[in-house]
Amino acid sequence: MPGQRDARREEDKLRSDTRRNRRRLLEAVGELAREAPDQLTMQAVASRAEIGPATAYRYYSTVDDVLAAYVLSVVEELRDYSAASTAEGQPLFDSVVDKWVDLLAEHGPALVQLRSRQGYLQRLHNGNEIIVAMRDAWARPVRELLDDLGLPAEMLEYALFLNNIMYDPREIQDLLEETDLSHREVIIRLTEAYRGALRGWARAG
């Protein structure tokens, strides 16, 4: 019937507008985080996205909400890469680390803007969407690394906790920007330090 078709077209247009506006806001927050991190406000993000502030607030309540959505999209890309990988053991872990550092090179300035008063384990146990996606991205690579190192699978959660510390976006960016280490050198050193941390944790327990 014509009325139903018109209503469907209008609904499809609204969905399309929503997807486009959300995409623009996420692109805008990523650009501003790189170019002017001290000026990150909802008004600035909306202006960069060429969307009215009222419309922007319809999708996200605060600039932290936009940042969280942006960070989640990056972590989901890592999760999907990890899930699709056919590598196993140490090569799987190494490839996921490579992908993570590549993502940080592109998106790091936005990722370091989002802060939390809660620690990794508390956010994981509370079901924080970003931390759960991060757990899903790293669980298989870390589990297989533990197996390669001959360490017990039961320490997986602690291993993920150590992974979160060792591969923190803020600290990796610091190494890349403030030292002469190349991407490859950063990856090699962090991964060797991480293996040592896992062995030390297991010895202490």
Side-chain angles (χ1 to χ4, degrees):
M1 294 176 62
Q4 288 178 330
R5 281 197 298 272
D6 290 344
R8 246 192 322 270
R9 275 198 294 270
E10 184 62 27
E11 189 176 333
D12 288 344
K13 182 181 182 304
L14 286 172
R15 284 202 188 103
S16 175
D17 289 347
T18 295
R19 284 194 297 271
R20 185 188 67 245
N21 289 340
R22 285 183 185 275
R23 185 180 68 251
R24 283 182 178 175
L25 289 165
L26 295 185
E27 289 170 354
V29 82
E31 291 168 4
L32 285 170
R34 281 189 295 274
E35 298 166 17
D38 294 334
Q39 298 172 30
L40 263 180
T41 64
M42 272 301 274
Q43 288 75 12
V45 171
S47 175
R48 174 62 67 95
E50 298 182 341
I51 293 172
T55 301
Y57 277 113
R58 202 177 306 150
Y59 300 114
Y60 300 103
S61 300
T62 66
V63 72
D64 278 353
D65 289 343
V66 190
L67 278 166
Y70 186 94
V71 171
L72 180 60
S73 71
V74 175
V75 174
E76 285 175 340
E77 186 174 345
L78 180 72
R79 180 198 63 197
D80 294 346
Y81 174 87
S82 178
S85 177
T86 57
E88 297 178 350
Q90 178 79 48
L92 170 62
F93 182 83
D94 290 345
S95 72
V96 174
V97 172
D98 283 347
K99 179 65 174 178
W100 182 231
V101 175
D102 286 345
L103 287 170
L104 294 183
E106 184 178 355
H107 305 287
L111 271 63
V112 302
Q113 296 295 321
L114 201 61
R115 295 175 179 272
S116 174
R117 291 189 179 90
Q118 295 182 336
Y120 170 83
L121 292 176
Q122 186 176 3
R123 285 178 289 161
L124 177 63
H125 296 159
N126 288 340
N128 177 280
E129 195 173 18
I130 292 170
I131 298 300
V132 168
M134 188 74 84
R135 187 269 321 275
D136 292 344
W138 286 105
R140 185 168 71 99
V142 169
R143 190 181 296 112
E144 297 213 6
L145 178 63
L146 289 173
D147 188 52
D148 269 14
L149 295 174
L151 298 176
E154 293 74 24
M155 66 177 283
L156 176 63
E157 187 167 279
Y158 293 120
L160 290 168
F161 169 81
L162 293 171
N163 176 278
N164 184 70
I165 295 171
M166 199 72 71
Y167 296 98
D168 180 87
R170 188 173 288 105
E171 309 311 334
I172 289 178
Q173 278 221 269
D174 199 34
L175 282 171
L176 292 173
E177 292 173 3
E178 300 298 326
T179 73
D180 295 328
L181 296 173
S182 67
H183 278 218
R184 178 54 42 199
E185 288 170 326
V186 166
I187 289 169
I188 290 170
R189 288 167 189 257
L190 284 177
T191 300
E192 188 59 35
Y194 181 56
R195 286 200 297 259
L198 291 174
R199 291 188 182 103
W201 190 282
R203 278 197 306 272

